[in-house]
Amino acid sequence: MSPQEINHLSNGFYPEYRPFALTLTRDEDKAMDLLQEAIYLVLKNHERFVSGTNIQAWIKTIIRNVFITGYRKGKRRQEIVTEEVPVSNWSNRTIEDNPALAELSAEDIMNRVEALSPIYRRAFKLYNNGLKYQEIANITGVPIGTAKSRVWTARQQLRDGVR
């Protein structure tokens, strides 16, 4: 971009692109802020402009991208600001007993696992030892969906009491 093009751009920028910025922002002040940010980026990145292409389309793309970026930032900020503060924090929590811990001993849990049918028991033990579903499927020679189903069924049976 030549110095003459930069000078022409700077002088005619606001009146020429103000309507476009207004359609995006629907607010005069926000439109002027948008144009100010866009002219800064145009001047900063003028070496990226390819001579012989449509400069107006390039500038409008920059304006649109600045608007979208600002919109997304504003939306994220709004989400952070409107998050509800938890009613309680770690300092005033009470400790509650977990009834599941009191009802079953380790021996009872192992007995329940051993009472599962062999296909469910094997899948559950492999999963419990840290294997991924794909690894369980490879070891047992079944599709991954079947491996997931077997682990899920085993967990349900353990939760409900082995049938």
Side-chain angles (χ1 to χ4, degrees):
M1 187 180 279
S2 68
Q4 292 83 12
E5 288 176 316
I6 292 173
N7 190 24
H8 170 70
L9 175 67
S10 298
N11 292 334
F13 191 81
Y14 290 104
E16 189 172 344
Y17 296 102
R18 184 179 159 276
F20 180 63
L22 276 172
T23 60
L24 293 173
T25 62
R26 295 189 173 105
D27 181 83
E28 184 69 36
D29 293 333
K30 289 180 182 178
M32 295 311 285
D33 290 342
L34 175 64
L35 290 175
Q36 185 176 2
E37 180 69 23
I39 189 73
Y40 167 74
L41 290 174
V42 167
L43 295 174
K44 178 182 171 191
N45 298 306
H46 71 277
E47 69 280 349
R48 293 184 181 181
F49 176 71
V50 179
S51 295
T53 59
N54 188 346
I55 191 168
Q56 289 181 334
W58 184 68
I59 293 171
K60 283 187 175 183
T61 301
I62 291 173
I63 294 170
R64 187 179 307 107
N65 289 344
V66 169
F67 172 75
I68 291 170
T69 302
Y71 176 80
R72 288 180 180 158
K73 283 181 183 177
K75 190 172 182 181
R76 281 192 300 263
R77 285 185 188 126
Q78 187 63 29
E79 288 172 0
I80 291 170
V81 169
T82 59
E83 283 182 6
E84 293 184 20
V85 178
V87 176
S88 63
N89 60 26
W90 66 271
S91 65
N92 63 5
R93 288 188 189 160
T94 58
I95 297 174
E96 296 182 19
D97 290 331
N98 185 344
L101 294 176
E103 291 178 15
L104 294 174
S105 66
E107 187 177 332
D108 291 336
I109 294 171
M110 290 307 299
N111 288 337
R112 284 190 180 189
V113 170
E114 291 303 318
L116 291 170
S117 66
I119 60 172
Y120 299 128
R121 181 175 55 240
R122 184 174 185 203
F124 178 78
K125 284 183 173 182
L126 291 170
Y127 182 79
N128 200 39
N129 287 330
L131 273 67
K132 305 275 189 242
Y133 289 119
Q134 185 62 55
E135 295 168 325
I136 296 169
N138 293 341
I139 290 170
T140 57
V142 297
I144 190 169
T146 304
K148 288 179 181 182
S149 174
R150 288 179 180 176
V151 171
W152 185 86
T153 302
R155 291 169 71 186
Q156 286 299 110
Q157 288 181 0
L158 289 171
R159 185 177 298 127
D160 297 340
V162 179
R163 298 175 193 135

